[in-house]
Amino acid sequence: MTNKQPIIIGSDHAAFELKEKIKTFLSDYGLTVTDIGTKSNASVNYVDFGKKVAKAVSQKEFDKGILLCGTGLGMSMTANRFPQVRAALCSDIFAARMSRLHNDSNILVLGGRVVGDILAFEIIKTWLETPFEGGRHLERIQTIDQ
Ligand code: RB5
């Protein structure tokens, strides 16, 4: 089932162009998108943007978020410091699907220098449409923040 709740997105300069394309994709898909930047190709520190999105998801202002940097690595490291955030760096559809089914990922991280735009759209679609399985996986994710 498609989750049509508003989504928050952020990137650094390395993934700025992919972020812009993803915003169009998400809006065509029917989602309201809040973009916290960056707003251009000018060099920035990915941590500043990662923290904004992770904080918003951690504090339940948004159900889900998307973060992008060149590799996706810095954004993952940043976002996963926040309580209740389960950020999943995905470069393929299988990982995107499993990150929802088993890990209830609430932030999808993409590498703008790793995936092309069409693959990114497919990963996002899979991630948005795959539910969390719950059950034993709920018990497991509940121990992450302990
Ligand atoms: C920027 O050059 C790059 O370091 C950043 O986008 C990201 O890949 C960091 O993890």
Side-chain angles (χ1 to χ4, degrees):
M1 199 180 81
T2 307
N3 183 341
K4 294 283 184 190
Q5 292 199 311
I7 194 159
I8 184 166
I9 191 167
S11 80
D12 72 354
H13 56 287
F16 168 70
E17 277 157 26
L18 181 56
K19 172 168 67 69
E20 295 307 296
K21 290 178 186 169
I22 286 173
K23 277 162 54 185
T24 304
F25 170 80
L26 290 171
S27 136
D28 291 348
Y29 192 73
L31 296 189
T32 304
V33 185
T34 296
D35 179 10
I36 55 85
T38 189
K39 305 283 185 197
S40 76
N41 286 313
S43 185
V44 291
N45 183 349
Y46 59 86
V47 176
D48 298 332
F49 300 89
K51 282 181 174 176
K52 280 187 191 167
V53 169
K55 187 176 174 199
V57 172
S58 181
Q59 296 183 344
K60 312 277 183 222
E61 287 165 36
F62 287 84
D63 193 38
K64 285 193 173 72
I66 296 178
L67 279 170
L68 305 103
C69 61
T71 58
L73 292 166
M75 286 299 197
S76 303
M77 292 173 190
T78 302
N80 278 316
R81 293 288 184 99
F82 286 73
Q84 307 301 322
V85 166
R86 292 174 301 280
L89 172 56
C90 298
S91 303
D92 61 75
I93 288 163
F94 177 69
R97 183 170 146 75
M98 294 311 295
S99 84
R100 289 289 312 129
L101 284 174
H102 285 194
N103 313 110
D104 197 19
S105 61
N106 48 15
I107 295 183
L108 174 66
V109 188
L110 297 164
R113 293 172 176 161
V114 180
V115 295
D117 47 354
I118 303 300
L119 178 56
F121 301 158
E122 289 298 314
I123 289 171
I124 291 167
K125 190 168 183 296
T126 299
W127 186 72
L128 289 171
E129 293 179 3
T130 304
F132 177 46
E133 254 180 33
R136 69 186 189 282
H137 300 295
L138 177 60
E139 292 167 30
R140 290 170 185 169
I141 65 166
Q142 280 171 339
T143 66
I144 292 175
D145 284 313
Q146 287 170 8

